[in-house]
Amino acid sequence: MVGAKRADSSLRAVNSMRTMKRIAAIGAAAMLTLAGCASGAGEPAEGPAPASPNAPAEEGAQPGGPSLPVGEPFGDAEWSVAAGEKEVVVTPDRLIGIDSDNIRAWSAEGDEVWSHDRAEGGTKVWVGNDTIAVSEASVPEASGLDKAQPVLKITLLSIDSGEVVANAEVSNPTSAAGSRSGLAVQIDDYSGFVVVSEDGKTRKIDTTLSNRKPLFGEVDGIAFWKDGSGLHTERWTSRDLDLGSSGVAVVDRALGLLLLENTSGRGEDRDALSMVKADSGDVLYTVSCPKEPGIGASGGNIANTAVNSPNGKYGVSAALLYSAEQSQCVGGGEQQKVSLTAVDDNGTGYGLTEKDDLVVVPLGGEPAVSKLPGGASPPIGFMTGNIAVHWNESSGTVTGNAIIER
């Protein structure tokens, strides 16, 4: 996912800073306070580049419409839409606006593409890579002496077209489908959870889960969960990687990665974070950053969800900017705390300092800090063409702003 949500979900709040409602790709876990350090090989990523020209606006688009104040290096609004005040999720080719009565989608040019009415009585919405899951709990009538068993009905919509692509059901759920940890549903007797794939297929993972915010989910089609002995997946465990009872710090679905904490080391080694391929368990690299109070799990059961670039090559989560080859912690320690909210196709991250200044940093490069105009916020994600998406939660206005050269 590029931005939100997510996130649920859930895109996803910047703690101790300007409060945003859920920005789907940004988890609501405690904000990272990581110092400026880097890991992995590679040259600094290119800085911001001008966006490719937008296609002519069709009917319904509002080029140059209501604008929002933005910081450098962004220009005036290319387009403006009223996406709602409840939740906005950014994907490469669709901006998703979620309100209490409907779900709407706009293109990267600001044109409304489709809408979907939500059922009365409330449904839960989760945005994946290719589909949007709309789940609704129900209790069918039982016959005879049988007890009525609750059922979670899940409708999967195409992000591109809004059409229904699949339906699924989960019996005896404890909650609605979808979370920052993936499209997965805990079973009421805590005997495990059900993973729902984006084509509607379901599979049960049998394990013992705590009834207090258990950590479980899926990434890249691989289920993962944590119990008293450590992190488990369907193919490997944290102890296989000599990471002890590691917690999941960051879940990245675009890159198929898990950032894991190391609880088996001591001193500096214990602060090391390992970037791991979810499908194979291969450790790509490690990075050490200050943990004040931590990057997500930190002995708990909450993981951050990454916000990705439109091309899916880069990610940010709290103060961490990374790719599959290298990573960089921004701020923290003796510097200001930083929370990154978006990353473009060149690997340049954008976010806020603890003093609400805009920070812009290319992967492998030095951060630049500048004042934001009054009422401005950093982008919550980027769409195809390096279009930065800005959202005003009070008005529900969303604008697409190109990167310009000053």
Side-chain angles (χ1 to χ4, degrees), residues 22-362:
R22 176 186 174 276
I23 296 175
I26 302 173
M31 183 189 70
L32 277 180
T33 59
L34 306 183
C37 58
S39 174
E43 296 298 322
E46 297 179 4
S52 58
N54 288 329
E58 300 176 2
E59 184 178 355
Q62 300 178 45
S67 189
L68 297 175
V70 296
E72 294 186 3
F74 305 111
D76 293 335
E78 301 278 311
W79 48 260
S80 173
V81 300
E85 304 169 12
K86 185 174 182 180
E87 184 178 350
V88 171
V89 180
V90 182
T91 74
D93 298 310
R94 294 290 181 265
L95 171 74
I96 309 298
I98 303 171
D99 270 338
S100 57
D101 56 353
N102 60 38
I103 305 168
R104 292 185 293 168
W106 292 264
S107 69
E109 290 76 35
D111 300 314
E112 184 165 351
V113 180
W114 58 264
S115 64
H116 175 85
D117 292 334
R118 298 176 65 180
E120 294 183 6
T123 55
K124 300 295 183 180
V125 179
W126 178 84
V127 181
N129 290 334
D130 302 309
T131 61
I132 297 175
V134 183
S135 61
E136 182 178 14
S138 64
V139 182
E141 290 185 6
S143 60
L145 295 176
D146 294 337
K147 289 184 177 181
Q149 300 291 337
V151 173
L152 191 68
K153 296 183 177 180
I154 303 167
T155 301
L156 292 159
L157 308 175
S158 164
I159 285 182
D160 184 59
S161 67
E163 296 178 352
V164 176
V165 297
N167 291 283
E169 290 189 358
V170 177
S171 299
N172 297 323
T174 60
S175 60
S179 70
R180 286 172 296 168
S181 298
L183 187 53
V185 186
Q186 186 176 356
I187 302 304
D188 188 49
D189 60 3
Y190 307 110
S191 63
F193 60 98
V194 173
V195 173
V196 183
S197 63
E198 295 199 51
D199 61 4
K201 296 179 180 178
T202 62
R203 68 183 188 277
K204 170 78 181 301
I205 306 297
D206 293 311
T207 184
T208 300
L209 292 174
S210 164
N211 60 358
R212 293 186 177 182
K213 297 182 179 179
L215 174 64
F216 65 95
E218 63 79 27
V219 59
D220 206 22
I222 306 299
F224 65 87
W225 63 97
K226 184 180 179 182
D227 62 19
S229 64
L231 180 73
H232 301 261
T233 76
E234 295 173 285
R235 299 180 181 177
W236 50 270
T237 73
S238 58
R239 294 191 180 276
D240 294 337
L241 309 182
D242 197 27
L243 295 178
S245 58
S246 175
V248 178
V250 177
V251 178
D252 188 315
R253 286 185 184 77
L255 287 165
L257 302 176
L258 293 171
L259 185 65
L260 305 184
E261 294 179 314
N262 180 5
T263 62
S264 64
R266 295 182 178 180
E268 293 183 359
D269 290 340
R270 191 176 179 87
D271 289 336
L273 303 164
S274 298
M275 190 67 80
V276 178
K277 286 184 63 66
D279 61 350
S280 64
D282 292 337
V283 177
L284 302 180
Y285 56 80
T286 60
V287 56
S288 295
C289 305
K291 303 173 71 173
E292 304 166 357
I295 191 169
S298 297
N301 292 322
I302 298 177
N304 289 320
T305 296
V307 174
N308 295 101
S309 57
N311 60 16
K313 294 181 179 180
Y314 305 97
V316 293
S317 182
L320 189 67
L321 170 64
Y322 63 89
S323 67
E325 290 77 34
Q326 60 177 325
S327 64
Q328 179 175 355
C329 308
V330 184
E334 297 180 355
Q335 298 179 332
Q336 289 189 59
K337 300 174 184 177
V338 168
S339 185
L340 299 173
T341 59
V343 58
D344 66 22
D345 278 343
N346 300 314
T348 298
Y350 303 80
L352 281 176
T353 70
E354 62 184 87
K355 294 183 178 180
D356 286 347
D357 293 329
L358 177 69
V359 60
V360 180
V361 54

Side-chain angles (χ1 to χ4, degrees), residues 359-382:
V359 60
V360 180
V361 54
L363 181 58
E366 293 296 322
V369 178
S370 61
K371 294 291 183 182
L372 280 170
S377 297
I380 63 172
F382 279 82

